[in-house]
Structure formats: C-alpha cells, structure tokens
Amino acid sequence: MTDKLSSHFEDLIEFMDQSFTWCAKESEEATSQVNEILSMLLDDANRVAAMSKETLDAIGSMQEIISALKPSGDREAANRLAKALLEAAAEDQDVNQFVSPIMEALQFQDRIHQNMNNTVKMMRVWRDVRYKIAVTGKFSNEDRIKFGNTLLECTTMVEERDLIRRHIEGVEPENATQDDVIFF
C-alpha cells in the first residue's frame, strides 16, 4: 500500500513539475515581448533621433541582457535588466512610459515562476510526511509544527509564509527577511 501511495505521489509531483515547467516557458513570452518593444524603439528613427546617447546605450544593453536571460532564466541577468530599464526610464520620458508595463510583466513572471517552483518543493515535503504517516501511523503536534516549519523553508515570499501560518498553528514567526523576488 505504501509503495503504491508513494508511486502516486511521485506521479503527481512529476505531473506538477512538468506542468509548471510548461507554464514557466509560456510566461517567458513577456521577456520576448520586452525584446520586441526595445527593437521597435531602436528602429523608430524619429524617437531614436530625439534620444540621448546614454538612453540609446541603455536600451542596447537591455537587449544584450534579455538575450542572456532567455535561455537560462538567470536571476542575476534579470536584476541587471531591471536596473537598466530603470536607468533608461530616468533618461527619457518616452522610455519611461513603456518601462512601467514592462517592469510589471517581468515582476509577474518572476512571482509566478517562484510560486511554481516553491509548490513543487512543498509537494515533495508533503509526500515525505504522508509516507511517514502511512508507515508509522503517527502524526503528533510536534510533527505538524515541524512539517509547517519545513514548508516555510520552501518559500520565497511573505504571502506564501502567511498562508502556511494561517493553516498550521505553532510554526516559527516571520522574521525580518525580505522576499526573494526580483525587482521588489
């Protein structure tokens, strides 16, 4: 029974992982759209003529960063992109008008990607605890709190931790750490 149960959990986690991978690839469309917007901006002769050399250089560096970001989802490259976007926005009002929606799209993509990764991690923790319960038939209050604290370690955002705390009393309180989300 426990081997069959474990096999079902593994199938569920594998399905979730594959589903989340697909979702992450779909969400990368935002990055492609950012690159297209930047390309259109550089190709627009009227705007290009009115922009300073610093703005044009910043946009060019953004394109390089996006190219590096696409295949790997590199968080450091994403942070460099955010910085370059904000610098370009400060240089030119036209650039500023399109930077805000781009930043929002990139923030959304990062949050979704992290939520999906965290959910897979939490499912693995849940599977291990369920397996232990199936074998031992025990799940004490101490085990429940340990389970909750282990789930907290899988999170990167305050909202995730708050949700766990609402459902599992006795877990560790929030400390002063910040979310591990790009652009915030």
Side-chain angles (χ1 to χ4, degrees):
M1 172 78 175
T2 57
D3 289 337
K4 191 173 188 178
L5 182 64
S6 180
S7 174
H8 288 294
F9 285 135
E10 286 299 322
D11 291 344
L12 175 63
I13 290 171
E14 182 179 341
F15 168 76
M16 287 180 60
D17 197 24
Q18 289 175 2
S19 296
F20 292 158
T21 299
W22 176 83
C23 288
K25 286 179 184 175
E26 288 294 311
S27 72
E28 288 176 3
E29 279 297 311
T31 304
S32 296
Q33 290 172 352
V34 169
N35 199 24
E36 288 175 27
I37 290 168
L38 294 173
S39 293
M40 285 188 297
L41 182 63
L42 284 175
D43 292 340
D44 183 349
N46 292 331
R47 285 190 183 182
V48 170
M51 287 183 190
S52 70
K53 179 179 179 348
E54 292 80 17
T55 301
L56 293 174
D57 290 345
I59 291 171
S61 70
M62 284 183 254
Q63 287 184 304
E64 291 173 18
I65 294 168
I66 289 170
S67 295
L69 181 64
K70 280 184 185 178
S72 65
D74 180 8
R75 291 179 61 81
E76 186 177 317
N79 282 323
R80 286 194 316 271
L81 173 62
K83 183 178 178 192
L85 282 169
L86 293 173
E87 287 173 1
E91 288 287 327
D92 188 279
Q93 185 58 34
D94 287 336
V95 175
N96 189 34
Q97 290 177 352
F98 74 81
V99 164
S100 180
I102 292 170
M103 293 295 289
E104 289 175 17
L106 293 172
Q107 288 171 343
F108 176 77
Q109 177 186 356
D110 181 56
R111 289 183 68 84
I112 293 298
H113 185 263
Q114 286 192 51
N115 283 140
M116 291 185 297
N117 284 337
N118 296 346
T119 300
V120 170
K121 291 175 195 174
M122 286 187 254
M123 286 300 296
R124 288 188 174 114
V125 169
W126 180 73
R127 175 208 53 208
D128 294 345
V129 168
R130 293 289 300 172
Y131 181 77
K132 180 182 174 187
I133 293 169
V135 170
T136 66
K138 298 176 185 177
F139 191 65
S140 67
N141 188 49
E142 184 179 303
D143 291 332
R144 183 182 53 78
I145 293 170
K146 183 179 177 185
F147 168 66
N149 287 330
T150 303
L151 289 177
L152 290 175
E153 293 171 6
C154 298
T155 65
T156 54
M157 290 176 252
V158 172
E159 294 89 348
E160 294 169 323
R161 293 186 290 275
D162 288 345
L163 185 63
I164 292 168
R165 286 188 181 89
R166 275 197 304 263
H167 294 281
I168 305 175
E169 290 183 32
V171 296
E172 295 174 2
E174 183 72 24
N175 59 24
T177 62
Q178 292 184 341
D179 290 347
D180 185 22
V181 182
I182 297 176
F183 313 119
F184 288 98

